[in-house]
């Protein structure tokens, strides 16, 4: 039980990667507070039954500047402190676009949730972690934050900012026993991905561009998060862990067409 007696907050933990992270931490003994704009479904909530740790939900829209204070205060009131923060919340929309197509309001909304929300949650949790003399923060970025994809200016730029925030926190608070790392998922089978998954040629294209030839599972991202949050990663901070099935390593450019095999 790597997380016995540890308290964790997972933002956007009601579905997809966030739900998988919350379940993984709770399965290894953590008390987990899920902060999300909507409660989990009954099916999702049932996944927490009989786990070693505890689990609670609180409504939280990270586009609201007051939400982090309320979320963290609730976790502290329940369990006395914070040991782990998983910043998973992000603004995802199918109305992205290239720079000329991005509406300023959409840009602001993207940064308000993905970047400022992550910053404010981190800022509010840091004093609690400093008080404990330890802490692990894991930020969910994206491979788009490393290699931008077509028509994704706002999202990719925001995810890149999350990576720099990760490194800054790691540098500033390492001597307090606090580690901060990032995970960059590739294409993952989440509800958000359904808009692509339901178009056969789009799904086949992404599978073809991935070295392992398939889409990732939320549980695979959660395994990486659990490692970085645990003492197994006690000498890892300021790092970016890419979990993309080999997408970036393969260097396949979306503009170049389908993957071709040369023998």
């Amino acid at each position: 039980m790597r997380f016995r007696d540890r308290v964790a907050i997972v933002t956007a933990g009601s579905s997809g990667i966030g739900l998988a992270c919350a379940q993984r931490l709770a399965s290894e003994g953590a008390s987990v507070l899920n902060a999300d704009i909507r409660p989990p479904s009954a099916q999702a909530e049932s996944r927490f039954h009989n786990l070693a740790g505890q689990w609670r939900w609180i409504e939280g829209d990270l586009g609201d500047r007051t939400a982090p204070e309320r979320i963290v205060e609730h976790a502290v009131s329940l369990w006395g402190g914070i040991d782990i923060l998983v910043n998973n919340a992000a603004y995802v929309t199918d109305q992205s676009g290239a720079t000329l197509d991005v509406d300023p309001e959409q840009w602001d909304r993207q940064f308000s949730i993905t970047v400022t929300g992550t910053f404010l949650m981190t800022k509010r949790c840091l004093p609690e972690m400093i008080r404990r003399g330890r802490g692990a923060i894991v930020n969910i970025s994206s491979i788009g934050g490393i290699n931008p994809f077509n028509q994704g200016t706002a999202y990719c730029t925001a995810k890149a900012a999350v990576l720099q925030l990760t490194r800054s926190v790691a540098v500033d608070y390492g001597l307090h026993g606090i580690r901060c790392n990032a995970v960059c998922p590739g294409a993952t089978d989440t509800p958000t991905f359904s808009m692509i998954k339901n178009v056969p040629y789009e799904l086949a294209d992404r599978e073809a561009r991935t070295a392992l030839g398939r889409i990732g599972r939320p549980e695979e991202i959660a395994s990486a998060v659990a490692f970085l949050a645990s003492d197994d990663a006690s000498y890892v901070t300021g790092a970016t862990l890419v979990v993309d099935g080999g997408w970036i390593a393969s260097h396949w450019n979306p503009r170049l067409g389908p993957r071709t095999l040369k023998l």
Side-chain angles (χ1 to χ4, degrees), residues 60-248:
D61 178 2
L62 292 187
D64 176 0
R65 298 288 180 91
T66 68
E69 179 70 25
R70 182 168 49 83
I71 292 166
V72 174
E73 282 187 354
H74 189 60
V76 172
S77 69
L78 285 171
W79 299 306
I82 307 293
D83 300 292
I84 299 164
L85 170 63
V86 180
N87 281 310
N88 175 61
Y91 180 58
V92 181
T93 175
D94 59 358
Q95 298 177 344
S96 189
T99 301
L100 288 175
D101 302 319
V102 176
D103 186 281
E105 291 185 3
Q106 179 188 340
W107 175 275
D108 289 343
R109 181 65 172 165
Q110 179 65 253
F111 272 74
S112 176
I113 297 174
T114 307
V115 183
T116 304
T118 296
F119 162 71
L120 291 176
M121 281 299 303
T122 300
K123 182 179 175 68
R124 180 58 186 87
C125 284
L126 280 170
E128 304 297 334
M129 293 178 172
I130 291 171
R131 194 171 295 118
R132 272 171 150 29
R134 70 184 186 205
I137 301 169
V138 184
N139 296 325
I140 306 301
S141 180
S142 166
I143 57 171
I146 300 173
N147 285 353
F149 50 77
N150 295 342
Q151 307 294 314
T153 297
Y155 178 82
C156 293
T157 304
K159 287 297 190 178
V162 168
L163 294 180
Q164 190 68 332
L165 174 61
T166 299
R167 291 185 283 265
S168 295
V169 172
V171 169
D172 289 341
Y173 295 98
L175 293 181
H176 292 278
I178 297 167
R179 298 181 297 104
C180 187
N181 295 287
V183 172
C184 287
T188 307
D189 190 4
T190 66
T192 302
F193 190 72
S194 63
M195 66 184 76
I196 293 173
K197 183 180 177 182
N198 293 334
V199 181
Y201 72 86
E202 290 277 9
L203 178 60
D205 180 69
R206 278 156 179 77
E207 291 175 335
R209 297 179 194 281
T210 303
L212 294 182
R214 65 176 178 83
I215 302 304
R217 301 186 302 274
E219 292 76 17
E220 292 175 307
I221 311 303
S223 292
V225 170
F227 164 68
L228 291 173
S230 76
D231 290 341
D232 290 337
S234 59
Y235 200 55
V236 181
T237 194
T240 297
L241 179 55
V242 176
V243 188
D244 69 346
W247 176 290
I248 289 179

